[in-house]
Amino acid sequence: MQTEAFEKKVWLSSPTMHGDELRYVTEAIETNWVSTVGENLTELERLACGYTGCGNAVALSSGTAALHLAVKLAGERLYGQPRAGHGTLEGRRVFCSDMTFDATVNPVAYEGGEAVFIDSEYETWNMDPEALEKAFGIYPEVKLVVLANLYGTPAKLDQIRDICNAHGALLIEDAAESLGATYKGIQTGNFGAYNVISFNGNKIITGSSGGMLLTDDREAADKARKWSTQSREAAPWYQHEELGYNYRMSNIIAGIVRGQFPYLDEHIRQKKEIYMRYREGFRDLPVQMNPYIEGSMEPNFWLSCLLIDREAMCRQVRGEKEALYIEEKGKSCPTQILEKLTWCNAEGRPIWKPMHLQPVYRMNPFVTKDGSGRARSNAYINTDAAADVGADIFGRGLCLPSDNKMTEEQQNRVIDIVRGCFQ
Ligand SMILES: *Cc1c(COP(=O)(O)O)cnc(C)c1O
């Protein structure tokens, strides 16, 4: 099969501006409200509450900053205020999603805590409730769970929440990738005590950067807002009773996000069409799309991903920084497909490499649904699938070009490129 390269790059997921953004940014500049106070911020926080149904929204400089403050709020609520120079989670274990972007879990380390990674399940690719239950059996003292909704697909949120409640643990929901997705009719970003969304450049709507903390706890929202502006007290000078951060969103960025919000539903519709076209286009290939549980959840379809059937995997090995594969008729692997996409000027991406396989977290515990720990293989393939779901999905899966500006014709060519890999 001969596929010509795309003249213009087909992106994984790039920003889509509509025009209103410029109007709000211009207004901010013309009225000189360019700092961390202004109408765009006020309106954006109002819009986010209205859309998600959450009681309070705090606009911050990034999703990572929002996660940091969420973790701090949880840490202080559970364990009290630490001495200056000490983290709120020092010496504490926290259960965390394993297959996710590292921004989900890094704030636990910022606060001196130890992340215990919980394996994923095959039905939504998110934290496995069974493995979480096992983890509470092994570490009954744990009081905090940090969970991500991967690629816009909600986790099994009822089960996760029930388990947390049964063990008296707080939940932080990282909805950075899932803004607009619903679980049993409820928007993600509502299931934790503290929840996070992101407006990073490749998310479903963007401010070029930015993030938000969502919580129904008014006092917690006020505290986060204060921490995010260096923890200034109401005094005539700079008076500080608590550690502060420079995490507040600027009114300029807020203008961009404010202009994007009305287009969120449109972006979701486009992303869903892309997902459905892929699913149809791959129907007779030995692959499946990133799955969700129909009837109980509606993803935002941020990224379309595929998982190659075990029998249709050619041989592939991954070291820490390089990958090799051996071509085989009728079979393929993520490395081959990603390579072909790159050659054709289209952008794919491997699945998030699980945290328990990351060198930075090599000493952290990892719990699977059979209750066992740590990765046993560095090859990430032909591993005992049930024993390490994250490594298995990482080995066989990849993210496809999912840009909402990709035309149907371009997508059909992407589908042809993938089909070509299996010939
Ligand atoms: C993007 C992302 C974040 C971090 O958001 P930033 O705004 O880039 O800091 C956190 N968690 C997940 C799962 C993400 O995809």
Side-chain angles (χ1 to χ4, degrees):
M1 186 204 58
Q2 197 61 44
T3 312
E4 279 173 61
F6 291 104
E7 227 165 274
K8 230 176 118 211
K9 184 159 179 171
V10 176
W11 298 97
L12 182 79
S13 182
S14 71
T16 307
M17 294 292 128
H18 298 273
D20 301 350
E21 302 88 351
L22 187 59
R23 190 158 55 81
Y24 293 129
V25 169
T26 305
E27 258 172 41
I29 291 171
E30 284 177 352
T31 57
N32 213 37
W33 288 95
V34 296
S35 187
T36 51
V37 184
E39 190 186 329
N40 287 335
L41 276 165
T42 313
E43 266 310 295
L44 173 60
E45 290 182 346
R46 202 184 56 80
L47 280 172
C49 288
Y51 190 94
T52 61
C54 198
N56 304 276
V58 184
L60 298 166
S61 54
S62 68
T64 308
L67 278 156
H68 188 185
L69 297 189
V71 160
K72 246 184 95 88
L73 283 167
E76 285 209 7
R77 178 162 152 194
L78 291 165
Y79 307 115
Q81 212 178 329
R83 283 179 298 139
H86 291 259
T88 45
L89 295 175
E90 242 164 67
R92 313 287 183 172
R93 293 195 174 101
V94 177
F95 295 149
C96 297
S97 285
D98 175 56
M99 192 169 68
T100 182
F101 187 37
D102 71 340
T104 307
V105 305
N106 285 345
V108 170
Y110 301 164
E111 288 302 311
E114 182 186 41
V116 175
F117 299 115
I118 310 298
D119 201 8
S120 314
E121 36 84 0
Y122 285 110
E123 287 172 291
T124 73
W125 292 8
N126 289 303
M127 183 186 283
D128 185 350
E130 275 186 63
L132 180 62
E133 187 65 65
K134 280 272 159 47
F136 275 112
I138 303 169
Y139 306 102
E141 76 282 8
V142 171
K143 292 282 168 241
L144 181 59
V145 176
V146 183
L147 165 117
N149 299 310
L150 213 68
Y151 301 130
T153 302
K156 296 180 176 176
L157 288 164
D158 270 356
Q159 290 173 55
I160 299 278
R161 206 158 54 165
D162 287 350
I163 294 169
C164 288
N165 289 340
H167 295 276
L170 285 178
L171 179 65
I172 290 174
E173 188 192 3
D174 177 359
E177 300 180 357
S178 68
L179 177 60
T182 57
Y183 179 83
K184 297 190 178 166
I186 298 167
Q187 288 280 325
T188 58
N190 277 292
F191 290 84
Y194 315 109
N195 312 281
V196 167
I197 54 178
S198 163
F199 306 114
N200 168 313
N202 71 10
K203 297 299 196 300
I204 193 131
I205 57 170
T206 180
S208 73
S209 65
M212 235 176 205
L213 177 82
L214 302 174
T215 177
D216 282 325
D217 181 344
R218 175 68 190 269
E219 231 173 278
D222 289 343
K223 196 180 268 189
R225 206 171 274 120
K226 178 185 164 194
W227 286 347
S228 77
T229 48
Q230 285 316 357
S231 296
R232 282 182 70 181
E233 299 297 329
W237 45 81
Y238 280 77
Q239 177 83 3
H240 305 285
E241 294 174 5
E242 293 177 280
L243 203 58
Y245 301 85
N246 182 6
Y247 280 175
R248 187 68 166 149
M249 183 185 278
S250 91
N251 196 46
I252 299 278
I253 299 287
I256 305 178
V257 187
R258 182 185 175 189
Q260 288 261 287
F261 239 102
Y263 297 92
L264 174 54
D265 287 335
E266 179 182 318
H267 290 189
I268 294 173
R269 264 197 311 281
Q270 293 164 336
K271 296 275 191 181
K272 184 172 183 174
E273 277 171 25
I274 289 169
Y275 179 96
M276 292 302 165
R277 275 204 291 268
Y278 275 132
R279 196 161 80 170
E280 184 59 27
F282 297 144
R283 231 164 29 142
D284 56 340
L285 286 189
V287 303
Q288 59 154 303
M289 299 292 294
N290 46 328
Y292 62 100
I293 304 172
E294 276 178 70
S296 66
M297 53 181 68
E298 182 64 19
N300 71 4
F301 300 95
W302 174 54
L303 291 189
S304 287
C305 306
L306 64 75
L307 185 70
I308 301 171
D309 291 351
R310 237 167 246 123
E311 310 74 54
M313 280 286 293
C314 68
R315 275 189 290 168
Q316 165 189 260
V317 286
R318 280 174 170 161
E320 285 304 343
K321 290 181 178 165
E322 289 173 305
L324 287 172
Y325 67 93
I326 299 172
E327 276 190 53
E328 200 175 332
K329 206 171 152 44
K331 297 185 176 187
S332 189
C333 63
T335 305
Q336 182 183 32
I337 295 172
L338 290 169
E339 191 178 272
K340 289 270 154 48
L341 287 173
T342 304
W343 284 347
C344 294
N345 203 22
E347 187 187 19
R349 187 154 79 186
I351 297 298
W352 296 129
K353 181 173 173 174
M355 291 301 116
H356 78 277
L357 299 175
Q358 299 287 359
V360 65
Y361 287 121
R362 67 193 167 279
M363 301 306 282
N364 293 56
F366 168 60
V367 180
T368 59
K369 75 171 174 192
D370 62 18
S372 66
R374 300 280 353 144
R376 60 224 78 199
S377 160
N378 228 25
Y380 316 131
I381 194 58
N382 304 331
T383 51
D384 177 4
D388 187 342
V389 176
D392 183 41
I393 295 174
F394 175 62
R396 296 191 286 125
L398 71 139
C399 308
L400 294 159
S402 307
D403 195 54
N404 55 346
K405 293 171 297 310
M406 173 170 63
T407 64
E408 201 170 332
E409 193 217 334
Q410 286 174 320
Q411 194 181 350
N412 287 336
R413 276 169 65 190
V414 171
I415 291 170
D416 282 343
I417 293 164
V418 174
R419 298 185 68 86
C421 294
F422 287 94
Q423 278 170 1

